[in-house]
Amino acid sequence: MNQKFKIALSATLLFSASIIYSQEADSTVVNQQEVKNTLNSAANKDSLLPQPVIDLKIDQKKIDGQHIVKADKDNNYHLKDLQEARNYDSLWLKELHSSAQLFSEMLIEVQNPSAEELTIVDLPTDTLKARLALMDEKTPFNISYNSSLESVIRSFLTRKKGLMQRMLTASQFYFPLFEQELDNQDIPLEIKYLAIVESALNPRARSRVGAKGLWQFMYGTGKMYGLDVSSYVDERNDPILATKAASKYLSKLHDIFNDWDLALAAYNSGPGNVNKAIRRSGGYKNYWNIRRNLPRETAGYLPAFLATMYIFEYAEEHGLQYKKAERPYFETDTVHVKNLITFDQISKLVDISKEELEMLNPAYKLNIIPKIKGKTYALRLPVTKIGKFVNNEEAIYAYAKKELDSLEKPLPQLVTTKNQIRYKVRSGDYLGRIAERYGVGVSQIKRWNGLRSNNLRVGQRLTIFPRKPYIPKQATTKNNTSKSASGTVAGSSKVHTVREGDSLWTISRKYPGISIENLREWNGLSGNNLKPGTKLKLCNCSS
């Protein structure tokens, strides 16, 4: 073999390796000497026998405009993903995360529609009437002009224009999924706009009353339609499962009312409230005739839905701009997970960020995919990553098990919804105290209840999945407190006179068996401030 041919062959092999790299997402680590041997062997032999395809994971740098392989300090190669494609993924992921923050903004708009006059937008009333008439011809919804609907449309096009543009972008990711499931249930495809009104396309949205997910299912309704909830999983947050459930629920509501407008009103406030509104209106069955008898939020619900539908239909005419999705939902795929595994492990082994895993798998509350007898859980990954997981499945599970077995602190045990409690926040409560009481973490309470800060308000209800039963301290210190009353503990005294510098904590430390909660309860205290000279009872007694 002449020297020119050897050089050309080496260059061809290097170029082929770069093509393989750009087309394959799977990667492993190989030794630098193995790569050298492969290239030298091929270049020095007359026979061009097929070489085994080595799946590399290497860093790249350019010398004289050409990509070359660079080893790390351990003499291993690490192939990076195609940078341009990863940039697309990163930008798209950022866009979806940004859109997820709009849930509260949309909720406020539905619950408190603006009554102010908005005439800035270039939308003559006659033009609006003509467009609504065209929309009415091709949809089963009753779309007709009225001043209330015009007001909401103008509001969305002015004060909420940015929100609508974000929805146009995020919808590219979810709408194909919605349309498929709605079509399966023979439901109008326009229902897809309802998810914008419900959750602003945030799969982890949570309302103040506990409704969750893209379709805002309450716990009981979700359970009726097969959506399970445990300490690990909340299927109300799963885009596919929740969309299936919403389709079935809406279909049932339409069977009841035989009208899609009323079905949507019932979806928001419950069939009972719609029936009450029909009775109070004197028997009318048109949404606009019973609207004043519906709850305030539901009164703004259908107008917001129709306004969203109008804006999507005429976005171009109103100059709304949006970013083109580089990865729609159907460029992802699922694999059934056979053993317990964490997002941290998947991220490390499959080379995908935890943020992207959370966005694609929002049903997993603790970033853990559990293994539960009789249940099947799926992992959603980009199509470029799914092969890597499937091809190395056994090795991945073995690695995950070995790592989990070596953890100093075991993963939390599964707690089903049967064990959940609703805790009412009392004066003096804070997240740390509540978490300690039930053997859970502060971050878990925040995640279960969609809390963004540590602030609580008295009377607020919290959903908690306790790891241990709570036994009130008063019950456990009954004997001690009676001793205190007799003088054994409290020095024959039933009261303590507050001195300068005293606090509930320091007082409780002086009298064994008496807790801060005891002092608050026995003395009717709501805060922590104590006034010098105040006499505090040291027992559950009348004097």
Side-chain angles (χ1 to χ4, degrees):
M1 184 183 294
N2 62 46
Q3 187 64 25
K4 287 184 178 180
F5 183 74
K6 290 180 181 178
I7 295 171
L9 178 59
S10 299
T12 302
L13 286 168
L14 282 170
F15 178 74
S16 299
S18 71
I19 294 296
I20 292 170
Y21 142 69
S22 67
Q23 292 177 342
E24 297 290 334
D26 297 356
S27 59
T28 55
V29 180
V30 297
N31 186 275
Q32 183 182 21
Q33 192 58 44
E34 291 176 349
V35 178
K36 287 181 180 178
N37 292 342
T38 300
L39 295 177
N40 291 336
S41 175
N44 291 316
K45 290 182 181 177
D46 291 333
S47 61
L48 296 179
L49 295 175
Q51 300 296 319
V53 177
I54 301 174
D55 204 2
L56 303 177
K57 187 176 182 184
I58 56 177
D59 282 330
Q60 290 191 341
K61 68 177 181 179
K62 282 188 175 182
I63 294 182
D64 297 329
Q66 296 297 316
H67 287 288
I68 67 164
V69 177
K70 177 187 173 186
D72 65 16
K73 63 180 182 180
D74 296 320
N75 217 25
N76 293 322
Y77 291 89
H78 301 282
L79 267 177
K80 290 184 177 178
D81 194 359
L82 186 64
Q83 190 58 44
E84 185 179 15
R86 288 307 303 163
N87 285 342
Y88 284 149
D89 290 342
S90 175
L91 292 170
W92 182 229
L93 183 64
K94 182 179 179 181
E95 183 63 30
L96 287 176
H97 271 293
S98 299
S99 297
Q101 306 305 316
L102 301 175
F103 166 61
S104 56
E105 189 175 342
M106 175 59 82
L107 189 64
I108 292 170
E109 189 65 25
V110 174
Q111 293 177 341
N112 301 290
S114 175
E116 63 186 274
E117 194 68 27
L118 295 163
T119 56
I120 314 167
V121 62
D122 181 19
L123 179 58
T125 299
D126 287 344
T127 302
L128 177 60
K129 287 180 178 179
R131 290 174 177 174
L132 293 175
L134 287 174
M135 289 172 59
D136 186 56
E137 291 176 0
K138 53 185 181 180
T139 178
F141 294 92
N142 301 312
I143 304 178
S144 58
Y145 172 84
N146 65 68
S147 58
S148 296
L149 179 55
E150 179 177 13
S151 176
V152 176
I153 290 173
R154 289 183 179 277
S155 174
F156 278 17
L157 287 171
T158 50
R159 295 188 303 109
K160 301 301 176 185
K161 186 174 181 179
L163 184 151
M164 286 293 109
Q165 289 185 148
R166 286 283 184 84
M167 292 300 95
L168 282 164
T169 298
S171 67
Q172 298 171 81
F173 188 71
Y174 291 111
F175 274 12
L177 158 69
F178 295 166
E179 289 168 353
Q180 176 175 296
E181 296 302 331
L182 293 169
D183 182 63
N184 288 344
Q185 297 294 327
D186 199 24
I187 287 179
L189 299 188
E190 293 88 347
I191 292 286
K192 63 190 178 185
Y193 300 120
L194 190 64
I196 292 177
V197 178
E198 285 286 354
S199 64
L201 299 181
N202 177 2
R204 285 188 168 175
R206 184 186 188 279
S207 76
R208 59 181 177 79
V209 295
K212 290 187 178 180
L214 287 165
W215 297 95
Q216 288 293 280
F217 272 103
M218 292 295 290
Y219 169 73
T221 311
K223 202 75 173 173
M224 283 174 57
Y225 288 90
L227 299 178
D228 196 19
V229 180
S230 72
S231 53
Y232 277 130
V233 182
D234 192 336
E235 292 181 345
R236 292 175 294 175
N237 293 341
D238 185 284
I240 291 181
L241 296 178
T243 303
K244 288 179 186 289
S247 300
K248 292 176 182 176
Y249 185 31
L250 285 161
S251 180
K252 179 61 68 178
L253 292 173
H254 183 262
D255 289 344
I256 294 171
F257 295 103
N258 197 31
D259 180 279
W260 281 112
D261 292 353
L262 296 184
L264 292 194
Y267 187 90
N268 179 253
S269 63
N273 281 324
V274 174
N275 283 327
K276 289 176 188 174
I278 291 173
R279 290 189 178 95
R280 288 168 180 163
S281 68
Y284 285 110
K285 294 184 179 178
N286 178 287
Y287 172 85
W288 298 101
N289 290 334
I290 71 169
R291 185 183 178 217
R292 63 188 179 87
N293 300 113
L294 290 167
R296 178 181 176 85
E297 180 180 332
T298 311
Y301 190 69
L302 189 66
F305 169 76
L306 295 176
T308 302
M309 189 191 304
Y310 168 84
I311 287 172
F312 269 69
E313 189 78 14
Y314 292 98
E316 188 175 339
E317 285 80 354
H318 288 290
L320 269 71
Q321 305 294 321
Y322 62 92
K323 299 175 184 176
K324 185 178 182 300
E326 299 297 340
R327 176 188 287 160
Y329 197 82
F330 287 145
E331 287 191 15
T332 63
D333 200 359
T334 57
V335 57
H336 285 158
V337 175
K338 298 180 177 66
N339 285 304
L340 186 146
I341 193 168
T342 70
F343 280 15
D344 282 330
Q345 293 167 337
I346 298 169
S347 174
K348 188 188 305 180
L349 296 171
V350 186
D351 189 27
I352 180 173
S353 71
K354 276 182 62 179
E355 291 77 15
E356 190 164 7
L357 282 172
E358 290 171 358
M359 182 58 66
L360 293 175
N361 301 274
Y364 299 110
K365 296 157 66 174
L366 305 181
N367 290 352
I368 298 169
I369 304 178
K371 180 185 179 183
I372 301 171
K373 187 176 181 180
K375 293 286 292 182
T376 301
Y377 293 112
L379 168 66
R380 182 168 292 276
L381 291 170
V383 290
T384 55
K385 303 292 184 182
I386 203 81
K388 180 183 295 187
F389 189 94
V390 173
N391 194 49
N392 301 280
E393 207 163 3
E394 289 187 8
I396 287 174
Y397 292 139
Y399 170 86
K401 185 178 186 306
K402 182 179 179 182
E403 186 176 72
L404 291 172
D405 288 345
S406 68
L407 285 179
E408 182 178 343
K409 183 178 180 181
L411 292 176
Q413 294 181 348
L414 178 75
V415 180
T416 64
T417 51
K418 293 179 182 177
N419 305 112
Q420 79 171 14
I421 64 165
R422 292 285 287 168
Y423 179 82
K424 186 176 181 180
V425 176
R426 297 191 288 263
S427 177
D429 274 345
Y430 55 90
L431 284 177
R433 169 185 288 170
I434 298 170
E436 182 181 6
R437 177 178 295 170
Y438 293 104
V440 298
V442 170
S443 61
Q444 289 176 304
I445 296 178
K446 292 174 72 174
R447 188 184 300 111
W448 292 330
N449 295 277
L451 303 178
R452 295 185 179 180
S453 72
N454 292 332
N455 297 329
L456 299 175
R457 64 178 186 278
V458 175
Q460 182 178 357
R461 295 279 184 178
L462 298 176
T463 297
I464 298 175
F465 300 91
R467 300 270 185 265
K468 65 181 183 183
Y470 170 60
I471 302 172
K473 289 187 178 179
Q474 183 180 350
T476 61
T477 60
K478 186 175 180 180
N479 293 332
N480 287 338
T481 56
S482 63
K483 287 182 181 180
S484 174
S486 66
T488 304
V489 176
S492 301
S493 176
K494 294 184 180 181
V495 296
H496 173 88
T497 302
V498 177
R499 299 174 184 173
E500 193 74 35
D502 271 352
S503 68
L504 290 177
W505 183 80
T506 58
I507 295 170
S508 69
R509 297 277 290 179
K510 288 181 181 178
Y511 304 104
I514 295 179
S515 68
I516 293 175
E517 289 183 357
N518 292 151
L519 293 172
R520 281 208 177 100
E521 182 181 346
W522 297 337
N523 295 279
L525 301 176
S526 58
N528 294 318
N529 295 328
L530 298 177
K531 185 177 179 181
T534 302
K535 295 188 180 298
L536 297 181
K537 288 187 284 186
L538 300 177
C539 62
N540 189 12
C541 49
S542 58
S543 61

PDB file of all heavy atoms in Angstrom, residues 193-208:
ATOM      1  N   TYR A 193     -57.337  24.331  23.404  1.00  0.00           N
ATOM      2  CA  TYR A 193     -57.120  25.678  23.945  1.00  0.00           C
ATOM      3  C   TYR A 193     -57.493  25.759  25.421  1.00  0.00           C
ATOM      4  O   TYR A 193     -57.072  26.681  26.121  1.00  0.00           O
ATOM      5  CB  TYR A 193     -57.921  26.708  23.151  1.00  0.00           C
ATOM      6  CG  TYR A 193     -57.558  26.757  21.683  1.00  0.00           C
ATOM      7  CD1 TYR A 193     -58.507  26.488  20.692  1.00  0.00           C
ATOM      8  CD2 TYR A 193     -56.265  27.055  21.277  1.00  0.00           C
ATOM      9  CE1 TYR A 193     -58.175  26.523  19.350  1.00  0.00           C
ATOM     10  CE2 TYR A 193     -55.918  27.090  19.935  1.00  0.00           C
ATOM     11  CZ  TYR A 193     -56.885  26.815  18.972  1.00  0.00           C
ATOM     12  OH  TYR A 193     -56.543  26.850  17.632  1.00  0.00           O
ATOM     13  N   LEU A 194     -58.277  24.800  25.890  1.00  0.00           N
ATOM     14  CA  LEU A 194     -58.688  24.811  27.286  1.00  0.00           C
ATOM     15  C   LEU A 194     -57.492  24.658  28.225  1.00  0.00           C
ATOM     16  O   LEU A 194     -57.481  25.225  29.317  1.00  0.00           O
ATOM     17  CB  LEU A 194     -59.696  23.678  27.538  1.00  0.00           C
ATOM     18  CG  LEU A 194     -60.417  23.687  28.880  1.00  0.00           C
ATOM     19  CD1 LEU A 194     -61.286  24.926  29.009  1.00  0.00           C
ATOM     20  CD2 LEU A 194     -61.265  22.435  29.033  1.00  0.00           C
ATOM     21  N   ALA A 195     -56.482  23.907  27.792  1.00  0.00           N
ATOM     22  CA  ALA A 195     -55.302  23.707  28.643  1.00  0.00           C
ATOM     23  C   ALA A 195     -54.542  25.017  28.864  1.00  0.00           C
ATOM     24  O   ALA A 195     -53.872  25.177  29.890  1.00  0.00           O
ATOM     25  CB  ALA A 195     -54.382  22.659  28.022  1.00  0.00           C
ATOM     26  N   ILE A 196     -54.643  25.945  27.922  1.00  0.00           N
ATOM     27  CA  ILE A 196     -54.007  27.255  28.104  1.00  0.00           C
ATOM     28  C   ILE A 196     -54.732  28.019  29.206  1.00  0.00           C
ATOM     29  O   ILE A 196     -54.110  28.623  30.090  1.00  0.00           O
ATOM     30  CB  ILE A 196     -54.025  28.045  26.786  1.00  0.00           C
ATOM     31  CG1 ILE A 196     -53.099  27.375  25.763  1.00  0.00           C
ATOM     32  CG2 ILE A 196     -53.615  29.503  27.011  1.00  0.00           C
ATOM     33  CD1 ILE A 196     -53.092  28.025  24.408  1.00  0.00           C
ATOM     34  N   VAL A 197     -56.061  27.990  29.170  1.00  0.00           N
ATOM     35  CA  VAL A 197     -56.857  28.689  30.183  1.00  0.00           C
ATOM     36  C   VAL A 197     -56.667  28.024  31.546  1.00  0.00           C
ATOM     37  O   VAL A 197     -56.577  28.704  32.569  1.00  0.00           O
ATOM     38  CB  VAL A 197     -58.346  28.689  29.787  1.00  0.00           C
ATOM     39  CG1 VAL A 197     -59.193  29.363  30.854  1.00  0.00           C
ATOM     40  CG2 VAL A 197     -58.537  29.376  28.444  1.00  0.00           C
ATOM     41  N   GLU A 198     -56.593  26.703  31.566  1.00  0.00           N
ATOM     42  CA  GLU A 198     -56.484  25.973  32.826  1.00  0.00           C
ATOM     43  C   GLU A 198     -55.120  26.128  33.480  1.00  0.00           C
ATOM     44  O   GLU A 198     -55.027  26.339  34.692  1.00  0.00           O
ATOM     45  CB  GLU A 198     -56.770  24.479  32.589  1.00  0.00           C
ATOM     46  CG  GLU A 198     -58.227  24.135  32.375  1.00  0.00           C
ATOM     47  CD  GLU A 198     -59.034  24.188  33.660  1.00  0.00           C
ATOM     48  OE1 GLU A 198     -58.440  24.378  34.739  1.00  0.00           O
ATOM     49  OE2 GLU A 198     -60.257  24.051  33.590  1.00  0.00           O
ATOM     50  N   SER A 199     -54.047  25.988  32.705  1.00  0.00           N
ATOM     51  CA  SER A 199     -52.714  25.874  33.322  1.00  0.00           C
ATOM     52  C   SER A 199     -51.626  26.683  32.647  1.00  0.00           C
ATOM     53  O   SER A 199     -50.477  26.626  33.083  1.00  0.00           O
ATOM     54  CB  SER A 199     -52.285  24.402  33.309  1.00  0.00           C
ATOM     55  OG  SER A 199     -52.140  23.949  31.966  1.00  0.00           O
ATOM     56  N   ALA A 200     -51.956  27.442  31.580  1.00  0.00           N
ATOM     57  CA  ALA A 200     -50.923  28.128  30.793  1.00  0.00           C
ATOM     58  C   ALA A 200     -49.850  27.139  30.337  1.00  0.00           C
ATOM     59  O   ALA A 200     -48.667  27.459  30.262  1.00  0.00           O
ATOM     60  CB  ALA A 200     -50.303  29.288  31.568  1.00  0.00           C
ATOM     61  N   LEU A 201     -50.294  25.905  30.041  1.00  0.00           N
ATOM     62  CA  LEU A 201     -49.427  24.826  29.531  1.00  0.00           C
ATOM     63  C   LEU A 201     -48.264  24.521  30.474  1.00  0.00           C
ATOM     64  O   LEU A 201     -47.151  24.223  30.048  1.00  0.00           O
ATOM     65  CB  LEU A 201     -48.914  25.165  28.131  1.00  0.00           C
ATOM     66  CG  LEU A 201     -50.001  25.346  27.061  1.00  0.00           C
ATOM     67  CD1 LEU A 201     -49.369  25.645  25.708  1.00  0.00           C
ATOM     68  CD2 LEU A 201     -50.902  24.116  26.973  1.00  0.00           C
ATOM     69  N   ASN A 202     -48.547  24.584  31.767  1.00  0.00           N
ATOM     70  CA  ASN A 202     -47.557  24.201  32.780  1.00  0.00           C
ATOM     71  C   ASN A 202     -47.984  22.858  33.367  1.00  0.00           C
ATOM     72  O   ASN A 202     -48.966  22.785  34.113  1.00  0.00           O
ATOM     73  CB  ASN A 202     -47.506  25.258  33.881  1.00  0.00           C
ATOM     74  CG  ASN A 202     -46.534  24.881  35.003  1.00  0.00           C
ATOM     75  OD1 ASN A 202     -45.870  23.850  34.950  1.00  0.00           O
ATOM     76  ND2 ASN A 202     -46.466  25.715  36.023  1.00  0.00           N
ATOM     77  N   PRO A 203     -47.269  21.748  33.061  1.00  0.00           N
ATOM     78  CA  PRO A 203     -47.698  20.431  33.543  1.00  0.00           C
ATOM     79  C   PRO A 203     -47.632  20.270  35.052  1.00  0.00           C
ATOM     80  O   PRO A 203     -48.221  19.344  35.599  1.00  0.00           O
ATOM     81  CB  PRO A 203     -46.733  19.467  32.841  1.00  0.00           C
ATOM     82  CG  PRO A 203     -45.534  20.294  32.510  1.00  0.00           C
ATOM     83  CD  PRO A 203     -46.053  21.677  32.237  1.00  0.00           C
ATOM     84  N   ARG A 204     -46.918  21.183  35.747  1.00  0.00           N
ATOM     85  CA  ARG A 204     -46.844  21.104  37.202  1.00  0.00           C
ATOM     86  C   ARG A 204     -47.612  22.237  37.884  1.00  0.00           C
ATOM     87  O   ARG A 204     -47.384  22.540  39.060  1.00  0.00           O
ATOM     88  CB  ARG A 204     -45.385  21.116  37.653  1.00  0.00           C
ATOM     89  CG  ARG A 204     -44.692  19.777  37.387  1.00  0.00           C
ATOM     90  CD  ARG A 204     -43.320  19.711  38.000  1.00  0.00           C
ATOM     91  NE  ARG A 204     -42.796  18.342  37.974  1.00  0.00           N
ATOM     92  CZ  ARG A 204     -41.582  18.015  38.365  1.00  0.00           C
ATOM     93  NH1 ARG A 204     -40.768  18.936  38.820  1.00  0.00           N
ATOM     94  NH2 ARG A 204     -41.172  16.758  38.306  1.00  0.00           N
ATOM     95  N   ALA A 205     -48.538  22.836  37.155  1.00  0.00           N
ATOM     96  CA  ALA A 205     -49.335  23.918  37.734  1.00  0.00           C
ATOM     97  C   ALA A 205     -50.181  23.380  38.890  1.00  0.00           C
ATOM     98  O   ALA A 205     -50.698  22.266  38.835  1.00  0.00           O
ATOM     99  CB  ALA A 205     -50.240  24.522  36.661  1.00  0.00           C
ATOM    100  N   ARG A 206     -50.332  24.202  39.929  1.00  0.00           N
ATOM    101  CA  ARG A 206     -51.163  23.828  41.079  1.00  0.00           C
ATOM    102  C   ARG A 206     -51.961  25.041  41.515  1.00  0.00           C
ATOM    103  O   ARG A 206     -51.400  26.096  41.791  1.00  0.00           O
ATOM    104  CB  ARG A 206     -50.298  23.335  42.245  1.00  0.00           C
ATOM    105  CG  ARG A 206     -51.120  22.853  43.439  1.00  0.00           C
ATOM    106  CD  ARG A 206     -50.233  22.515  44.629  1.00  0.00           C
ATOM    107  NE  ARG A 206     -50.991  21.892  45.692  1.00  0.00           N
ATOM    108  CZ  ARG A 206     -51.728  22.560  46.582  1.00  0.00           C
ATOM    109  NH1 ARG A 206     -51.791  23.880  46.521  1.00  0.00           N
ATOM    110  NH2 ARG A 206     -52.394  21.909  47.523  1.00  0.00           N
ATOM    111  N   SER A 207     -53.279  24.893  41.592  1.00  0.00           N
ATOM    112  CA  SER A 207     -54.137  26.001  41.989  1.00  0.00           C
ATOM    113  C   SER A 207     -54.194  26.096  43.508  1.00  0.00           C
ATOM    114  O   SER A 207     -53.757  25.186  44.225  1.00  0.00           O
ATOM    115  CB  SER A 207     -55.548  25.814  41.426  1.00  0.00           C
ATOM    116  OG  SER A 207     -56.250  24.834  42.175  1.00  0.00           O
ATOM    117  N   ARG A 208     -54.781  27.178  44.010  1.00  0.00           N
ATOM    118  CA  ARG A 208     -54.855  27.387  45.458  1.00  0.00           C
ATOM    119  C   ARG A 208     -55.732  26.343  46.139  1.00  0.00           C
ATOM    120  O   ARG A 208     -55.616  26.107  47.341  1.00  0.00           O
ATOM    121  CB  ARG A 208     -55.394  28.795  45.747  1.00  0.00           C
ATOM    122  CG  ARG A 208     -56.757  29.058  45.164  1.00  0.00           C
ATOM    123  CD  ARG A 208     -57.263  30.472  45.442  1.00  0.00           C
ATOM    124  NE  ARG A 208     -58.535  30.711  44.801  1.00  0.00           N
ATOM    125  CZ  ARG A 208     -59.700  30.283  45.272  1.00  0.00           C
ATOM    126  NH1 ARG A 208     -59.724  29.593  46.396  1.00  0.00           N
ATOM    127  NH2 ARG A 208     -60.824  30.547  44.638  1.00  0.00           N
TER     128      ARG A 208
END
